[in-house]
Amino acid sequence: MSLGVRWTLHGDGKTPAPGAVVRPDERLSWPRTFGLGAQHVVAMFGASFVAPVLMGLDPNLAIMMSGIATVIFLLATRGRVPSYLGCSLSFVGVAAAIRASGGDAATITGAVFVVAVALFLVGLAVQRFGARIIHAAMPPVVTGAVVMLIGFNLAPVTASTYWPQDQWTALAVMLFTGLAVVCLRGFLARIAIFLGLIFGYLLSWVLDLAFGKIHSPVGGGDATDHWRLDLSAVGSADWIGLPSFHAPSFELSAILVALPVVIALIAENAGHVKAVGEMTGDSLDDKLGTAIAADGAASMLSTAVGGPPNTTYSENIGVMAATRVYSTAAYWAAACFALLFGLCPKFGAVVAAIPGGVLGGITVILYGMIGLLGAQIWLNGRVDLRNPLNLVPAAAGIIIGVGGVSLKITDNFELGGIALGTIVVITGYHALRVMAPAHMKDERSVPTTAGDAESDRGVPGGA
């Protein structure tokens, strides 16, 4: 059985002809293939090392496990779905909520391991019954609302933990990153978050040289005098060594907080497979279940050793769109580079030294973008929020998730935030649908104005 690890040389192996594409089972010359692999690593780098830092996990381990996860994914999909699996940002809010309730890194990875198991089982179910089960259980109104509340639930983390550490650096980084996202073109626009981190890193270093230590709170604690950029751990870190591993621990309360994220991961995988299929001209619907299951299996392995969960990365879709090279050989090269980075503790120390103010400026934009992906799902799914059947459960769930509303079940068990908001959206929508009148269940019968109808037809499709 083919594992998708053999490629035919495209043309002469050099630059593809105008309008030509390099298919997943083709490759350019090996030097060019490794160059493309390096470009894929750079594209995923920004989010893939910011996420573990925000989650309080080892960035070296995260990068190394992203390479292993990518290999697992490529083997499982037999080389038909060119994708890179990097650390998922969807769990950042979950990690913050678990730590706020007294959990540690092991508690976080234990909860996420259970989510990975659930994702793997969903993938097997999709393989068996088809993608229709996803659409039936999680229509766009539900998926969009859950993604939105997961993103916006992160707002207090920025406001209380990162931004106060250095508000002026945070403001400068926010402005620079915003300009980079909007004004840069092509590949540079895809790594705007990464460029914002570099800018903030250098700015913090310059401010330390010019003004000395800053007096501000660190990590939401009391205000102290400290350097904005503390590189003391970098000098003592080894050049070569294994990252730090730890076993997960399992707590029911943390698991319940994390489980709703499985909805976001399913949506990410489905959107990614669809986008890659459209780009390559190869229908990949038959690989959707495999892709979801492979993501779940890779995340199970990563969290079992103390790493973060992984998901398919849209940043790398941008690289493929820009280069028109869809060769999975380039992703194998990227996975090799990631493994090498993961074996360099000094690199991890540099990442861990990112100043809090820099993270404040980055997360203002990043967390908001995650939340607004939910709105994009609504637009793509043509969700009509004038229909009470859509509006009521989405509105209630989002406010519960964003506001941190809680429901005390017993003295030792409480539901709140992301978990409770997700439960309200899913159960509320399906329960109301059973009881709703027929005209509310048929989106086509909801009254619209002529102008609204024209606007609806103009909504772009695809993520």
Side-chain angles (χ1 to χ4, degrees):
M1 183 179 292
S2 173
L3 294 177
V5 293
R6 294 194 175 199
W7 305 272
T8 58
L9 190 66
H10 178 89
D12 60 0
K14 298 179 181 179
T15 305
V21 300
V22 180
R23 296 184 54 76
D25 59 351
E26 297 178 328
R27 66 169 177 84
L28 298 177
S29 65
W30 284 115
R32 288 174 173 78
T33 295
F34 276 95
L36 287 165
Q39 190 171 226
H40 279 301
V41 170
V42 173
M44 69 86 185
F45 223 61
S48 222
F49 77 62
V50 171
V53 170
L54 297 177
M55 294 172 68
L57 301 177
D58 184 354
N60 270 63
L61 181 57
I63 296 298
M64 188 177 79
M65 293 311 297
S66 75
I68 295 174
T70 299
V71 169
I72 292 173
F73 186 90
L74 293 173
L75 290 174
T77 58
R78 307 285 189 245
R80 284 188 58 200
V81 187
S83 298
Y84 193 94
L85 266 64
C87 182
S88 174
L89 285 163
S90 298
F91 287 93
V92 172
V94 166
I98 292 174
R99 287 191 181 277
S101 62
D104 56 11
T107 311
I108 292 170
T109 52
V112 177
F113 179 87
V114 175
V115 177
V117 172
L119 185 65
F120 177 74
L121 295 176
V122 169
L124 295 182
V126 173
Q127 279 183 312
R128 175 66 179 84
F129 301 106
R132 63 183 182 277
I133 64 170
I134 293 178
H135 303 313
M138 295 180 296
V141 62
V142 170
T143 307
V146 172
V147 171
M148 185 174 288
L149 69 87
I150 288 172
F152 291 159
N153 179 263
L154 296 166
V157 178
T158 295
S160 62
T161 302
Y162 297 124
W163 190 279
Q165 291 187 43
D166 188 353
Q167 61 177 359
W168 296 112
T169 295
L171 180 62
V173 171
M174 181 193 72
L175 294 174
F176 176 89
T177 305
L179 286 171
V181 171
V182 174
C183 298
L184 294 180
R185 294 290 181 268
F187 178 68
L188 289 177
R190 292 285 174 178
I191 59 169
I193 299 295
F194 181 63
L195 296 177
L197 286 170
I198 293 176
F199 169 79
Y201 212 98
L202 294 175
L203 177 62
S204 297
W205 176 64
V206 170
L207 291 176
D208 279 344
L209 290 178
F211 302 107
K213 293 183 177 181
I214 186 174
H215 184 78
S216 67
V218 178
D222 295 331
T224 60
D225 291 328
H226 62 92
W227 296 109
R228 296 169 180 82
L229 178 61
D230 185 0
L231 297 175
S232 58
V234 177
S236 59
D238 295 328
W239 280 103
I240 300 175
L242 289 172
S244 58
F245 300 98
H246 69 257
S249 65
F250 303 95
E251 295 183 12
L252 179 60
S253 58
I255 292 170
L256 290 174
V257 169
L259 268 176
V261 182
V262 74
I263 297 174
L265 296 181
I266 293 169
E268 286 175 354
N269 275 277
H272 186 96
V273 170
K274 182 176 178 61
V276 171
E278 290 177 351
M279 292 168 66
T280 61
D282 181 16
S283 176
L284 297 174
D285 290 348
D286 61 319
K287 287 296 180 183
L288 178 57
T290 303
I292 293 174
D295 188 358
S299 293
M300 287 165 60
L301 177 60
S302 179
T303 52
V305 298
N310 294 286
T311 188
T312 49
Y313 259 36
S314 60
E315 287 87 345
N316 298 95
I317 290 183
V319 174
M320 290 191 292
T323 62
R324 298 177 67 82
V325 177
Y326 309 122
S327 171
T328 54
Y331 283 101
W332 278 92
C336 291
F337 283 124
L339 288 171
L340 292 176
F341 275 122
L343 295 174
C344 179
K346 194 172 288 291
F347 160 76
V350 171
V351 173
I354 297 173
V358 177
L359 293 176
I362 291 292
T363 54
V364 163
I365 295 176
L366 194 60
Y367 292 170
M369 290 170 67
I370 294 171
L372 288 176
L373 285 175
Q376 185 64 47
I377 291 173
W378 283 344
L379 289 173
N380 291 342
R382 297 177 181 266
V383 174
D384 193 336
L385 292 179
R386 292 165 298 182
N387 185 339
L389 177 58
N390 295 330
L391 179 62
V392 171
I398 288 171
I399 290 299
I400 288 173
V402 174
V405 176
S406 61
L407 186 65
K408 191 170 184 179
I409 310 299
T410 68
D411 290 339
N412 300 316
F413 181 66
E414 185 176 286
L415 276 175
I418 294 173
L420 182 58
T422 301
I423 291 172
V424 167
V425 173
I426 295 176
T427 60
Y429 174 81
H430 288 290
L432 289 173
R433 188 170 180 82
V434 171
M435 297 179 285
H439 73 274
M440 287 188 183
K441 300 177 187 180
D442 185 359
E443 294 288 345
R444 294 170 298 178
S445 66
V446 177
T448 60
T449 65
D452 290 334
E454 290 297 322
S455 175
D456 288 345
R457 283 194 289 271
V459 175

